[in-house]
Amino acid sequence: MYIARMHANNHNNHHHHHRSDLVRIATSAMFERGLQPEFSAGVEQQLAAITGPSRESDAAIRDLTHLLWCSIDNDDSLDLDQLTASEGLPQGGVKMWVAIADVDALVKKGSAIDEHARTNTTSVYTSARIFPMLPERLSTDLTSLNFDQDRLALVTEMDFSADATLIRSTVYRAKVRNKAKLAYDAVSAWIDGEAALPAAAAAVPGMDAQLRTQDALAQQLRLRRHAEGSLEFETFQPRAVFEGEQVIDIRQQVQNRARQLIEEVMIATNGCTARYLAAQGGASLRRVVRSPERWLRIVAVAQEYGETLPAEPDSKALEAFLAKRHQADPLRFPDLSLVIVRLMGSGEYVVETPGGPPIGHFGLAVRDYTHSTAPNRRFPDLITSRLLKAVLANKPPPYSNAELGELAMHCTRQENSAQKVERRMRKSEAALLLESHVGQRYDAIVTGSTTDGIWVRIFTPPADGKLVSGADGLKVGDKVHVKLVSTNVERGFIDFVTA
């Protein structure tokens, strides 16, 4: 195997790869996985006929453009799905509004654009190229909640008491306007007292106080979920950084306070959406992680660390074990996370009907969970917003239960395919960055041991590879010095030997 890999790797070492190579590799990976990398002529035709954002007016659409709405997303995100706004309530409570882009206002069920979205079911993010679920003229402009633009949205309004208990919530349609386009890292640095308030927020009187309120609420919600047994993982998802055609670095995304703020508020919103549909007697598309089928394997993993977990799936016990390991060994925690995530099995979409059996989301310690907060980039969220709009308009649901059942299975399949493409591309990106570093030595940690061999991770740049020689006696978690011997960008191979 080593000889074969070496041969495969070396035959292209004389060719230096560029961003365009990664785009080509990503495009073919999309095809291989049954995803469509390009939009059809029908989509382009429909797109050309759309003149601007939806201007629909209806007595049921409230005007909330006066609220201090802001978006917080990645630095480079242009597809803005959600805005938040808040104000204090008496006795220390908080009223929270979450606005979700009304994509359905422009993308109707069964249209050419909708059919493409239905095929792929998600945007696929690779560093060299994004394959958006919707054409960018929609997802980054006409259906995006862009700065200083009036847009239609589905708003979830939630009242929380001083201890972050949800007292009431409702859903309605509204017109909104984003007053500040903010980014996670900058907001988080300000919350942590390490940097000034971002200029876009400083330009809006009262925005600083509102962000503090939302951060405080999110941290309370987070503590509450962890008390219920919500699982805290840290996964390894490095992204390549480009300068023109060249990959210059690979960076691991850090979890921070601003990401937690949005995550908590969106989990709360998704719960409200699910309960709202159920209360109206409608079926909903739920995102679930069933109780882990391989629980006894998880128990065995915990035993290796000298910890005892109960014989039946128990998310609180698992969360306590994970929290303890995170504190004891932060360096290796991403790898333990990955092992547990794999053993839990991946999430899936299911249809929940009124009176049917509750399934819930084991990993998030929540019973009611839909995907509703990212309709520009995920098809299940667009389905959910259509179900909500039908209920709000007293119309029959746009999808039958049977149709929802088929879509749930299809969305689960396609989302898994998209994740495989993204994982595959992270390997090729790392191989591209490292191809000019063959011969260099690195500190590494053993992350996997399979019948195929031993896998290691180097820290700077963060990258995974195979140990093709010198693996005797090594086990997962061991620290090791390695030398890079070859890379293959086309296949995403990175090979090390012990040094």
Side-chain angles (χ1 to χ4, degrees), residues 297 300-302 304-305 321 325 329 331-340 342-343 444-451 453-457 459 464-465 467 470-480:
R297 281 281 306 114
V301 169
E304 289 168 24
Y305 291 93
F321 162 66
R325 291 313 308 162
D329 193 351
L331 182 65
R332 293 173 207 177
F333 188 69
D335 301 302
L336 174 62
S337 289
L338 186 62
V339 168
I340 302 292
R342 283 185 179 150
L343 289 171
I445 182 170
V446 177
T447 55
S449 171
T450 64
T451 47
I454 296 276
W455 302 88
V456 296
R457 165 169 313 146
F459 300 111
D464 288 309
L467 199 55
D472 297 344
L474 289 174
K475 55 186 194 304
V476 173
D478 284 351
K479 291 181 183 171
V480 60

Side-chain angles (χ1 to χ4, degrees), residues 75-155:
D75 289 315
D76 53 357
S77 288
L78 299 172
D79 47 354
L80 305 179
D81 281 298
Q82 71 244 353
L83 303 177
T84 55
S86 60
E87 65 180 34
L89 291 173
Q91 279 96 43
V94 176
K95 184 185 284 292
M96 198 68 219
W97 291 271
V98 175
I100 304 299
D102 184 354
V103 172
D104 172 71
L106 287 182
V107 179
K108 295 303 177 194
K109 185 190 174 197
S111 63
I113 294 175
D114 185 57
E115 286 304 315
H116 179 93
R118 181 179 177 139
T119 299
N120 282 8
T121 77
T122 180
S123 293
V124 180
Y125 295 90
T126 77
S127 297
R129 180 184 166 191
I130 292 170
F131 299 90
M133 179 180 87
L134 298 174
E136 287 183 329
R137 186 166 159 249
L138 295 181
S139 60
T140 67
D141 183 12
L142 303 181
T143 55
S144 176
L145 301 175
N146 286 358
F147 173 66
D148 214 23
Q149 299 292 318
D150 285 353
R151 291 285 184 265
L152 289 180
L154 277 157
V155 171

Side-chain angles (χ1 to χ4, degrees), residues 20-40:
S20 51
D21 293 301
L22 290 176
V23 173
R24 170 178 52 76
I25 295 166
T27 304
S28 77
M30 291 277 288
F31 273 123
E32 277 165 35
R33 296 278 172 201
L35 299 162
Q36 290 179 0
E38 310 302 338
F39 292 104
S40 67

Side-chain angles (χ1 to χ4, degrees), residues 268-336:
T269 304
N270 283 324
C272 291
T273 308
R275 289 187 295 274
Y276 184 81
L277 284 171
Q280 310 296 321
S284 60
L285 201 56
R286 301 289 178 101
R287 179 74 179 171
V288 305
V289 173
R290 298 170 193 267
S291 287
E293 58 272 25
R294 298 205 198 105
W295 179 256
L296 293 176
R297 281 281 306 114
I298 294 176
V299 172
V301 169
Q303 244 158 356
E304 289 168 24
Y305 291 93
E307 299 289 332
T308 309
L309 290 177
E312 290 296 310
D314 179 333
S315 63
K316 285 186 187 179
L318 180 55
E319 165 56 16
F321 162 66
L322 287 169
K324 195 168 167 182
R325 291 313 308 162
H326 189 221
Q327 207 165 3
D329 193 351
L331 182 65
R332 293 173 207 177
F333 188 69
D335 301 302
L336 174 62

Side-chain angles (χ1 to χ4, degrees), residues 431-494:
L432 192 153
L433 179 67
L434 289 169
E435 74 180 343
S436 55
H437 296 270
V438 169
Q440 278 195 18
R441 288 157 200 275
Y442 298 92
D443 290 329
I445 182 170
V446 177
T447 55
S449 171
T450 64
T451 47
D452 288 345
I454 296 276
W455 302 88
V456 296
R457 165 169 313 146
I458 60 172
F459 300 111
T460 37
D464 288 309
K466 187 171 187 183
L467 199 55
V468 291
S469 160
D472 297 344
L474 289 174
K475 55 186 194 304
V476 173
D478 284 351
K479 291 181 183 171
V480 60
H481 296 291
V482 297
K483 183 168 93 166
L484 178 64
V485 287
S486 67
T487 62
N488 182 329
V489 175
E490 300 295 325
R491 299 174 70 178
F493 288 165
I494 299 173

